[in-house]
Amino acid sequence: MTGKPFLIAAFAVVAGLLALVPQLGSEYWLGVAFIVAMWIALIQSWSLLSATTGYISLGHAVFYGIGAYVLVVSLDWMSVPYALALSGAAAGLLALVVGLPVLRVKGPYFVILTFGFAELVKNLVMLLETRLGQFSRMIFDAPSLEALYYAMLALAVIATALAAWTAQSRFGRGLAAIRENEVAAEAIGVPVTRLKLFAFVASAIIPGIVGGLLVLRTSYFAADQAFDPAVSFTIVTTAIVGGLGRVSGPLLGTLFLVILSELLWARFPQAYMMILGALLIVFILFVPQGLAGLVGRGLKR
């Protein structure tokens, strides 16, 4: 079995195995699986815009952070499900408001602009919290880890299904045309501005909900942590290692780097960061198609 049927079967098996993790009775492994599902959801959502159009964003953490902040301030007057929905809506609305001016630039200018925008929002939230006398916020009576895990796993499945649909749809072909030659795509009638904006908004909603779920998991919010630029860098690194433009890339990259993190981070944190940097260089120079490309070539053989 090769090609698309194999990928569908592989994703179904992985999703089924992840769904069984809570039955193991180990909170440690449940926490690890939560992190795996979180990164899959974040990277698949990032890929909706960046991997399909070539607009590489270093500001994805801003939607993650906004989702976390909206959830923590809204729990006082609404239940958790509604607060999570509001987190995703707030992230999508932010993307809609800033999308048109941000998407007017491309290439390295877009990379720098998205990073700067994320830092701007982070500092505005920190300033607002300081004016309110809130340097950090605590959450009490959060849902159980198992409930949060299943919610995160559902987001990962939805994000993967959306990425798979995009790859096969007319919408995805339009985004691919933008990546290849934006001017030519617009000349032949591709609605470039509308497609880019729709992809930008769609890629922001899931990170907003992910940020809310992670705050519920940690029961703690601090703006400098919620808007940590390391989130954006990790998303890009994992996407490159897994394989840009391939639906299986985020899954393979996440599993690889989470396992590497579990093996090295606790004992050798500095070594882990050096190895991560070296891996990024190696994959960019010698394995541009990532782990997904290696697996694909192996299946063809």
Side-chain angles (χ1 to χ4, degrees):
M1 181 166 42
T2 59
K4 187 176 178 181
F6 177 83
L7 288 177
I8 293 174
F11 284 131
V13 169
V14 172
L17 291 175
L18 289 174
L20 293 175
V21 171
Q23 309 308 317
L24 298 176
S26 170
E27 188 165 337
Y28 170 77
W29 287 111
L30 185 56
V32 172
F34 180 89
I35 296 299
V36 169
M38 180 191 78
W39 286 117
I40 291 173
L42 286 174
I43 299 163
Q44 293 286 27
S45 63
W46 176 87
S47 298
L48 289 176
L49 174 75
S50 295
T52 52
T53 64
Y55 278 70
I56 304 300
S57 170
L58 278 181
H60 216 54
V62 71
F63 306 122
Y64 169 92
I66 282 294
Y69 186 57
V70 168
L71 180 128
V72 79
V73 299
S74 62
L75 281 180
D76 292 336
W77 45 281
M78 66 173 59
S79 62
V80 169
Y82 290 109
L84 286 171
L86 185 60
S87 297
L93 180 61
L94 177 64
L96 181 63
V97 170
V98 304
L100 285 176
V102 167
L103 292 168
R104 288 183 181 275
V105 300
K106 54 187 175 181
Y109 302 104
F110 180 79
V111 176
I112 296 170
L113 182 59
T114 53
F115 179 76
F117 173 67
E119 289 297 295
L120 172 64
V121 174
K122 178 181 78 172
N123 283 280
L124 287 175
V125 171
M126 292 176 66
L127 178 62
L128 176 61
E129 288 289 275
T130 302
R131 294 289 178 87
L132 294 174
Q134 297 281 353
F135 300 101
S136 62
R137 295 175 183 260
M138 300 293 294
I139 296 176
F140 300 98
D141 299 323
S144 66
L145 176 57
E146 182 175 346
L148 294 175
Y149 169 69
Y150 279 124
M152 189 68 80
L153 180 59
L155 281 181
V157 171
I158 291 170
T160 301
L162 185 58
W165 171 81
T166 300
Q168 303 296 325
S169 67
R170 184 178 179 182
F171 169 65
R173 289 191 292 272
L175 295 177
I178 293 171
R179 181 185 65 229
E180 297 302 324
N181 191 318
E182 187 170 332
V183 175
E186 191 167 19
I188 63 174
V190 176
V192 170
T193 301
R194 186 165 72 245
L195 289 183
K196 289 193 300 183
L197 184 60
F198 184 82
F200 192 54
V201 173
S203 72
I205 294 173
I206 287 178
I209 303 175
V210 168
L213 287 172
L214 189 64
V215 165
L216 291 171
R217 167 75 174 98
T218 59
S219 300
Y220 176 80
F221 173 85
D224 57 336
Q225 295 179 13
F227 292 89
D228 189 352
V231 173
S232 296
F233 287 109
T234 302
I235 289 172
V236 176
T237 300
T238 310
I240 292 173
V241 171
L244 286 174
R246 296 171 181 263
V247 179
S248 58
L251 175 61
L252 294 174
T254 298
L255 291 174
F256 177 74
L257 290 181
V258 167
I259 292 172
L260 184 67
S261 173
E262 291 301 314
L263 291 175
L264 296 179
W265 180 257
R267 295 184 179 180
F268 311 107
Q270 298 303 321
Y272 170 74
M273 296 305 295
M274 288 189 291
I275 291 172
L276 191 64
L279 278 173
L280 183 59
I281 295 172
V282 168
F283 274 85
I284 290 175
L285 293 178
F286 303 109
V287 196
Q289 293 183 334
L291 293 172
L294 292 177
V295 172
R297 288 199 296 270
L299 291 176
K300 288 180 181 178
R301 293 196 185 110

